[in-house]
Amino acid sequence: MAIPRDVDPRLLRAFATAAEELHFTRAAARLYVAQQALSRDIRRLERAWGTDLFVRTTRQVTLTADGERLLPYVRRVLAAQDELLAACANGTSPLLVDLNSEGLISGRVLARARELAPGHELMARFESGLTGAAAEMLAGRLDVSFGYFGGLAPALRSGLRHRLVRYEAMA
């Protein structure tokens, strides 16, 4: 196996995420890319390294021996990159904001959030609901979500901090 001197960190992140999920569709969702793009990036990394990293069947994805061996190193490289980015950002990294649905007062809420936090870049996305967004926040993959907190299961609510932003008519 010949490892090139320069490897795109995006490809390493694709590999690590796919290795954690062992499911390309879920890994792609975590990375906010299409499943086809993730598969392409993994194949590109495999070609660059001259080895298969995954065994893929129609029913499951598993790591090869080389994939298992390289994963801890890739995780350390990504952790170092994250530390570097955090040091350079000086606390100004973008906040990933979930609005739960495109119809949820998203324009007004996001515009107001941007007014109240002018020093932060807010990157919006739409999740399938606050339950999914809550799980993403608890896993550390999402910073903020706007939604109806009272409808969450008590177990999810207990792990989150919340603040009333506004009352919204439900009907």
Side-chain angles (χ1 to χ4, degrees):
M1 172 174 25
I3 304 285
R5 285 183 122 2
D6 294 321
V7 177
D8 184 345
R10 182 176 54 83
L11 300 180
L12 297 178
R13 198 162 303 278
F15 167 59
T17 304
E20 290 167 10
E21 292 291 337
L22 292 177
H23 192 280
F24 277 47
T25 303
R26 284 193 305 262
R30 270 183 55 190
L31 294 167
Y32 310 108
V33 299
Q35 185 270 323
Q36 295 83 355
L38 176 67
S39 294
R40 181 196 64 227
D41 286 348
I42 296 294
R43 282 192 306 275
R44 195 169 138 209
L45 187 61
E46 288 174 327
R47 278 193 308 275
W49 285 356
T51 188
D52 289 335
L53 299 169
F54 294 96
V55 176
R56 303 159 181 90
T57 68
T58 55
R59 297 208 178 263
Q60 70 178 13
V61 174
T62 57
L63 283 167
T64 64
D66 281 339
E68 290 275 356
R69 186 174 60 77
L70 294 172
L71 183 58
Y73 297 101
V74 168
R75 285 182 173 146
R76 287 199 302 260
V77 167
L78 292 172
Q81 182 197 27
D82 291 344
E83 285 181 43
L84 174 64
L85 292 174
C88 292
N90 237 0
T92 60
S93 60
L95 295 173
L96 185 55
V97 178
D98 184 88
L99 301 170
N100 293 292
S101 74
E102 295 184 50
L104 176 73
I105 57 165
S106 56
R108 293 188 312 240
V109 169
L110 190 58
R112 183 66 177 141
R114 286 182 171 141
E115 286 174 18
L116 295 173
H120 293 282
E121 178 185 357
L122 302 179
M123 296 174 49
R125 72 164 206 189
F126 302 101
E127 185 62 53
S128 60
L130 189 56
T131 301
E136 291 292 297
M137 285 188 289
L138 291 171
R141 295 186 292 260
L142 181 63
D143 296 309
V144 177
S145 182
F146 293 103
Y148 303 109
F149 184 78
L152 286 177
L156 283 175
R157 284 197 314 246
S158 68
L160 300 172
R161 289 183 304 164
H162 72 282
R163 176 183 296 175
L164 177 64
V165 175
R166 65 177 284 144
Y167 289 107
E168 185 73 15
M170 295 293 289

